[in-house]
Amino acid sequence: MKIVVQKFGGTSVSTEERRQKVIEKVKIAIKEGYRPVVIVSAMGRKGAPYATDTLLSLVDDKFKNSNKLAQDLLMCCGEFISAVVISNDLYNAGIDAVPLTGGQAGIITNNNFTDAKCIDTNPKKIIDLVSQGRVPVVAGFQGVAENGYLTTLGRGGSDTSASILGVALQAETIEIYTDVDGIMTADPRLVEDATLIDVISYNEVFQLADQGASVIHPRAVELAMKANIPLLIKNTMSNCRGTLINNFGDRENERIITGITHQKNRIQVLIKASENEGNTKYKDILDLVAANKISLDLINIFPDRQIFTIDAKAKQILENILNSFKLKYYLVEDCSTIAVIGSRMNGRPGVMAKIIKALINNNIEVLQTADSNMTIWCLIHADNVKEAINVLHKTFNLA
Ligand code: ADP
Ligand code: MG
């Protein structure tokens, strides 16, 4: 039995016209001899009646924050509706579709509400349905905890649902349908001449996703990589061939840089040794921060100062910690981290220099940098993001 998992994102299921395209993709898979398992996100983006953000706005923040169990139950509803509506459209097209919740589809999670992790799968029901020639339509982004409570898998979680089920069912391919032609050299909303990447390695796309490219969730990439199941990113609205993600990437391509992305809402923290003389906590700052589960990036420790970045959401907790120990510090708010990614940059000298030169020549201040074997990061002011990505896209001839 050749199974294909087909995941359709929020935009893809948002209107009748788009849903007809979804039905076409399912029909094509069946015609090609596959048994499709469909995963759907909630219909539409913010503002749409059944979009997750709209549902969340129905209840008070205080209630939501103190009752994550209720928040998760509410957040599951958008996908329930979507699974039933898509099943209805498939039914009208003569396909015997069966809508399922994530839990009914066998996604079992821990009970870390709003960001649950899959700890087990039981795909028996799906296998039974598929063997009968029926098409399961699974509500994405959710699972069920062992104690029966419904959970959600964190934002972008429908991609994760697709990989969880793709792995459990040993699917031939996991297809992620979205509103762009595939993985591009940069976000096409920011870079007009961004180009489609035909083939890319799991590792590179993981870096892109992890560093802000919302086109696929990093956890989905990780799961597919472990099981070595190819991922295919495609456009619901076109017949473009899309992007294939596998172990090898594009072996013919000689570009040093594969893609550029960015993370928003970063804050740079600077703590000077000279201003904290005699404060015994100065040398323990990183431990204090880690103990409070604040995740740090771009960490630079110099004899006279410590610099690192945090997500803006962690600002209050960080300030509380530093103030409670009477540590003096400076914050640079409204920053973004640009990530320039490419597996072939490893061992090639001069890439960092080229990036910094290009940014400086365009009057873009670089606040901090870091590198690893596949990624170079530059912290810049958020209002320079679009220009910086376009400059680097041009510098590395990605168009
Ligand atoms: P879906 O609702 O289908 O899951 P998302 O909004 O999560 O869709 O992801 C698709 C969006 O990802 C695109 O509309 C695009 O703006 C954005 N994106 C960011 N970086 C990239 C990239 N490198 N390639 C393609 N799309 C990207
Ligand atoms: Mg998405």
Side-chain angles (χ1 to χ4, degrees):
M1 215 163 50
K2 282 199 311 181
I3 292 180
V4 62
V5 168
Q6 298 185 299
K7 178 257 168 176
F8 297 92
T11 328
S12 304
V13 294
S14 62
T15 65
E16 188 54 50
E17 185 202 354
R18 289 182 177 149
R19 289 196 289 273
Q20 282 314 310
K21 298 285 180 190
V22 169
I23 307 309
E24 272 173 36
K25 302 296 180 195
V26 177
K27 274 185 169 169
I28 292 170
I30 295 173
K31 210 167 150 200
E32 287 174 352
Y34 288 99
R35 305 286 180 111
V37 172
V38 175
I39 319 283
V40 289
S41 297
M43 296 191 280
R45 296 233 168 96
K46 204 170 184 168
Y50 309 116
T52 307
D53 284 313
T54 314
L55 298 174
L56 278 172
S57 71
L58 296 172
V59 296
D60 299 325
D61 284 344
K62 232 175 164 179
F63 172 69
K64 265 185 310 218
N65 294 335
S66 62
N67 198 334
K68 296 280 181 198
L69 184 157
Q71 183 175 337
D72 261 3
L73 191 58
L74 180 61
M75 285 207 288
C76 288
C77 296
E79 274 73 12
F80 292 166
I81 296 169
S82 194
V84 179
V85 171
I86 289 290
S87 296
N88 174 73
D89 290 339
L90 285 167
Y91 172 83
N92 287 338
I95 296 167
D96 185 4
V98 183
L100 298 173
T101 67
Q104 290 171 328
I107 298 179
I108 299 147
T109 71
N110 61 15
N111 58 6
N112 186 17
F113 293 109
T114 72
D115 195 22
K117 301 259 175 331
C118 178
I119 52 170
D120 199 5
T121 49
N122 175 11
K124 187 177 174 310
K125 191 172 261 118
I126 297 199
I127 293 170
D128 287 347
L129 291 170
V130 166
S131 320
Q132 296 159 15
R134 306 173 86 186
V135 176
V137 182
V138 181
F141 172 58
Q142 54 175 271
V144 64
E146 282 172 313
N147 55 9
Y149 288 113
L150 300 197
T151 53
T152 63
L153 306 172
R155 279 305 164 93
S158 291
D159 296 336
T160 312
S161 306
S163 283
I164 291 170
L165 291 179
V167 173
L169 297 163
Q170 294 175 305
E172 302 256 319
T173 317
I174 300 164
E175 298 180 344
I176 307 283
Y177 286 90
T178 183
D179 60 355
V180 283
D181 281 343
I183 309 233
M184 325 264 302
T185 48
D187 186 344
R189 287 181 214 216
L190 294 176
V191 179
E192 234 172 65
D193 52 5
T195 49
L196 181 69
I197 299 171
D198 292 324
V199 190
I200 184 170
S201 67
Y202 293 115
N203 280 323
E204 283 178 304
V205 90
F206 178 83
Q207 283 294 317
L208 274 170
D210 192 49
Q211 298 302 311
S214 57
V215 61
I216 183 162
H217 196 282
R219 215 181 281 165
V221 181
E222 218 174 0
L223 291 168
M225 176 162 84
K226 273 194 195 140
N228 200 15
I229 298 180
L231 279 161
L232 202 53
I233 315 293
K234 297 184 92 168
N235 193 339
T236 308
M237 297 302 285
S238 80
N239 292 321
C240 180
R241 62 192 182 282
T243 301
L244 173 66
I245 307 173
N246 63 19
N247 253 321
F248 316 107
D250 190 349
R251 286 190 270 204
E252 321 255 286
N253 188 348
E254 290 181 354
R255 275 180 181 165
I256 302 176
I257 302 307
T258 303
I260 305 169
T261 184
H262 78 288
Q263 270 185 308
K264 294 190 274 200
N265 303 327
R266 310 302 297 168
I267 296 180
Q268 187 188 43
V269 185
L270 164 66
I271 306 166
K272 292 183 185 172
S274 61
E275 292 180 357
N276 291 288
E277 261 169 46
N279 190 328
T280 53
K281 290 292 178 190
Y282 177 80
K283 62 176 186 1
D284 300 329
I285 288 172
L286 296 186
D287 293 337
L288 291 173
V289 171
N292 283 277
K293 297 204 168 88
I294 299 178
S295 125
L296 303 181
D297 279 315
L298 307 183
I299 304 168
N300 292 132
I301 308 293
F302 302 102
D304 61 339
R305 63 196 191 281
Q306 304 185 39
I307 310 177
F308 53 85
T309 66
I310 57 162
D311 190 275
K313 280 198 205 104
K315 179 184 160 191
Q316 202 54 59
I317 311 175
L318 179 90
E319 290 202 286
N320 291 348
I321 301 167
L322 298 179
N323 290 334
S324 71
F325 292 110
K326 299 197 166 37
L327 285 155
K328 290 216 174 71
Y329 60 92
Y330 300 90
L331 301 183
V332 183
E333 299 192 53
D334 296 324
C335 295
S336 286
T337 308
I338 305 281
V340 180
I341 292 151
S343 56
R344 278 170 293 271
M345 75 165 75
N346 199 6
R348 297 251 198 148
V351 184
M352 173 77 92
K354 197 167 168 177
I355 290 172
I356 293 181
K357 196 169 156 199
L359 294 176
I360 289 175
N361 283 347
N362 285 277
N363 298 320
I364 297 167
E365 185 184 2
V366 179
L367 298 164
Q368 219 179 323
T369 61
D371 65 346
S372 73
N373 58 354
M374 207 191 280
T375 308
I376 290 178
W377 294 271
C378 294
L379 188 74
I380 62 171
H381 296 289
D383 47 8
N384 289 328
V385 163
K386 189 168 179 185
E387 195 190 352
I389 296 183
N390 276 280
V391 162
L392 296 173
H393 200 262
K394 208 178 235 154
T395 303
F396 289 100
N397 300 318
L398 298 184

